[in-house]
Amino acid sequence: MTTSTRLRLIARTEIRRRWRVMRENDAQLVALAIAALFVVPMALAGVGGAYFAGRMVANGEVDAPLELARLGFVYAWIGVTGFGAYRAYAVSLDPDNLDGLLTTVSHRDLVGGILLAEFALWTVFALSAAGAAAVTFGIGAGSVLSIVTLLLAETLTLATGLVAGFVLALGIRNTGVRSVLLTRLRTVFVGVLAIGYFWVIVTSSFASVFDPLYSLLAGTPVAWIGDLAAVALGVSASPGRAAGAVLVAIAFLGVTLPATSRLAEWLWYADGVHVSHDVEDAGEPSRLSGLLTAPVLGVVSSDWARARRSPLSLSFALYPLFVLFDPVLTVVQTESVGRGLPVVILFCGTWITGSLFALNVLGHEGAALPATLLSPNPHRSLVAGHVLAGALLLTPATVVATAVTGVLSPRPLGVVASLTAAALLLTVGAGAIASGIGVAFPRFEAVKVTQKTKAVVPSVLGIVVYSVVVIGVAAPALVGHSALFGHAVTSLLGASRLGVAVGGTVVSGVLALCVGAVSVYYALDSVDDYRIA
């Protein structure tokens, strides 16, 4: 079997494996379908718009077309390199059964096949649309040669950017696998990058990130690809730079492709560092040992230890924090706390408190579930432990955050006190509400929370039902303290602003008590009668 045949076989196998994994994940299929609803029309619009752009260039209606071509291809190269590096780091460099593959094929063939698979996927989903746009642009410009140069420029951008992304990801992975410090701080780095990523999106600060990169690459052969794309349009593009772009790209690939092989060898055959975690003694924190029974305290301690050792397994509970971006951004821009921020903090804190540990009481036990069910009165310790684990951890934080932002906002102190009381009542009752729902819709199997991390998380149906119930329970307090709806209710009932706020808090508190009691009763009864099939 020749080398090219092995590379194609590895690439086909990798593509089939990824499709099989995606096909078995309903959430990914739904996300892909939703993305297609937006991406496909945009791609079709881009292909059609390229025709008119070509006509405008041919008619001299575009100012500085060469600079625009250089700008576009530099940004395209940055995008391919960045996204390619992310995919290589998170997906491509961890194929299934890596040790088995390395016993049958060389690391050189394996990384080459993975690169070929990535190139094929990029070709299907990105280069095909870009190629169609190149054709329509050339037709609009009345230049057949420009179609060839544009296709060549797009191919070089994809090939060099993709390989550069692999080299970058391999360099980061090789550094991390040999550094104890970086291994310990990996979760922190990922969290900082995630926060930075969403902050850039929310604040639209793309220029602050990409402009320095463009300034760095504008004088390099990466920008020459723009000359290659525009050389047939008669817009003063340099034929020398166009030819140089091709030659430099070939030389770049000639150097970086062997580099990916060597870096992959260092990564896949490395022993790697091992971070050992100190195993805590069975004795629980002294401050709680006198307040809770030993079985309940054991569940609380286990939940906290699991959260500390595997924080990514709780990433599902952070989704409501996305709602905070806009109010926080408003605070940053105006340097003042608005009326809406305390209410949003109240709701987010309530939702997270209940979902963090109590929304999958049985599933959290994992392989220890049979032993747990055989212990004396397991239903009380399990339900109470998971409920208290979230309440003890997040109730103080939510109450303090609500009170502080409420005081800083233009709200009367009486309304702030009512809002703080609502935060206390709802966060205390959230875990109880979640417990019965989690028992009714449990999940025992692990799912992927990232490309490389699996964890047992609450079921989708459980999350949806819990969200609906929490919104219903919290609605009176949210409406009563809302700047928009609160005034409407005040005018409708003829009551004072403080009276409406307090009334909303009381109603939500009563609902939390009643719904929580029913949910806990159902959870206790279900766990007590639960039988493993």
Side-chain angles (χ1 to χ4, degrees):
M1 183 181 295
T2 63
T3 301
S4 61
T5 303
R6 287 197 298 271
L7 294 181
R8 290 196 300 271
L9 178 60
I10 293 171
R12 286 198 303 268
T13 303
E14 183 67 12
I15 292 173
R16 285 199 301 267
R17 181 189 67 81
R18 294 183 191 180
W19 169 243
R20 184 173 62 250
V21 171
M22 180 176 293
R23 190 175 56 194
E24 294 173 354
N25 191 325
D26 294 337
Q28 284 191 4
L29 289 176
V30 172
L32 184 63
I34 294 175
L37 292 177
F38 294 94
V39 174
V40 172
M42 291 176 60
L44 295 176
V47 171
Y51 171 80
F52 297 101
R55 291 188 60 180
M56 293 174 65
V57 171
N59 295 332
E61 301 174 10
V62 177
D63 295 331
L66 178 58
E67 285 71 16
L68 289 176
R70 291 172 178 171
L71 178 69
F73 276 94
V74 168
Y75 276 125
W77 193 87
I78 293 173
V80 172
T81 301
F83 193 62
Y86 166 75
R87 282 189 54 82
Y89 182 91
V91 181
S92 304
L93 294 177
D94 284 316
D96 281 351
N97 196 19
L98 175 62
D99 294 337
L101 288 172
L102 292 176
T103 62
T104 56
V105 296
S106 67
H107 62 275
R108 185 180 299 104
D109 290 341
L110 181 56
V111 73
I114 292 173
L115 260 172
L116 183 59
E118 282 294 306
F119 187 84
L121 291 173
W122 276 83
T123 300
V124 170
F125 292 105
L127 190 57
S128 58
V135 173
T136 56
F137 181 90
I139 294 173
S143 173
V144 177
L145 183 59
S146 67
I147 298 176
V148 178
T149 57
L150 272 171
L151 289 174
L152 180 58
E154 292 168 354
T155 304
L156 291 181
T157 301
L158 176 58
T160 56
L162 193 59
V163 175
F166 261 71
V167 171
L168 179 61
L170 283 165
I172 295 173
R173 291 286 298 272
N174 270 289
T175 303
V177 81
R178 289 169 172 80
S179 171
V180 176
L181 177 62
L182 292 179
T183 301
R184 289 182 180 274
L185 296 178
R186 179 173 56 191
T187 301
V188 177
F189 289 154
V190 172
V192 171
L193 287 175
I195 293 173
Y197 171 76
F198 287 109
W199 182 261
V200 168
I201 292 177
V202 172
T203 60
S204 300
S205 304
F206 297 98
S208 62
V209 176
F210 289 105
D211 283 354
L213 294 175
Y214 174 75
S215 299
L216 182 65
L217 296 173
T220 67
V222 174
W224 298 356
I225 301 177
D227 289 77
L228 174 62
V231 71
L233 297 175
V235 292
S236 302
S238 170
R241 288 189 174 185
V246 178
L247 295 177
V248 170
I250 294 174
F252 177 81
L253 294 175
V255 172
T256 52
L257 285 175
T260 59
S261 175
R262 180 57 59 89
L263 290 171
E265 178 185 9
W266 291 348
L267 173 66
W268 289 336
Y269 291 116
D271 291 333
V273 297
H274 300 279
V275 179
S276 58
H277 299 278
D278 294 331
V279 180
E280 297 179 359
D281 187 43
E284 283 72 26
S286 58
R287 285 178 293 180
L288 296 177
S289 58
L291 301 175
L292 304 176
T293 63
V296 173
L297 196 55
V299 175
V300 172
S301 300
S302 297
D303 283 343
W304 289 357
R306 187 183 302 116
R308 185 174 62 254
R309 294 171 184 171
S310 181
L312 287 177
S313 64
L314 302 177
S315 58
F316 70 91
L318 301 181
Y319 291 143
L321 294 184
F322 294 127
V323 182
L324 282 172
F325 272 111
D326 187 59
V328 171
L329 178 60
T330 302
V331 172
V332 173
Q333 292 175 339
T334 62
E335 297 183 355
S336 63
V337 179
R339 294 177 178 270
L341 182 59
V343 177
V344 176
I345 290 176
L346 163 64
F347 176 75
C348 291
T350 299
W351 195 97
I352 295 173
T353 301
S355 65
L356 200 61
F357 301 113
L359 197 50
N360 196 17
V361 171
L362 294 172
H364 277 314
E365 293 301 299
L369 181 60
T372 302
L373 293 176
L374 292 175
S375 63
N377 298 320
H379 55 300
R380 296 179 182 176
S381 58
L382 273 181
V383 175
H386 289 309
V387 169
L388 289 174
L392 292 173
L393 196 63
L394 291 177
T395 294
T398 304
V399 171
V400 170
T402 303
V404 170
T405 54
V407 171
L408 295 177
S409 69
R411 289 176 177 271
L413 290 181
V415 176
V416 173
S418 173
L419 188 64
T420 304
L424 176 62
L425 294 173
L426 289 174
T427 51
V428 169
I433 295 171
S435 61
I437 298 172
V439 171
F441 307 103
R443 170 178 274 166
F444 300 99
E445 69 279 3
V447 298
K448 282 188 175 182
V449 292
T450 68
Q451 290 293 338
K452 297 184 291 184
T453 304
K454 283 188 174 184
V456 178
V457 300
S459 65
V460 175
L461 185 57
I463 291 176
V464 171
V465 173
Y466 168 71
S467 301
V468 172
V469 174
V470 167
I471 290 174
V473 170
L478 298 178
V479 171
H481 295 88
S482 170
L484 176 62
F485 298 104
H487 288 296
V489 175
T490 300
S491 301
L492 180 64
L493 300 179
S496 66
R497 186 74 183 85
L498 178 60
V500 171
V502 173
T505 297
V506 172
V507 174
S508 286
V510 172
L511 286 176
L513 175 64
C514 296
V515 176
V518 173
S519 182
V520 166
Y521 177 80
Y522 176 81
L524 291 172
D525 186 64
S526 299
V527 173
D528 189 40
D529 294 337
Y530 187 79
R531 297 293 183 269
I532 299 177

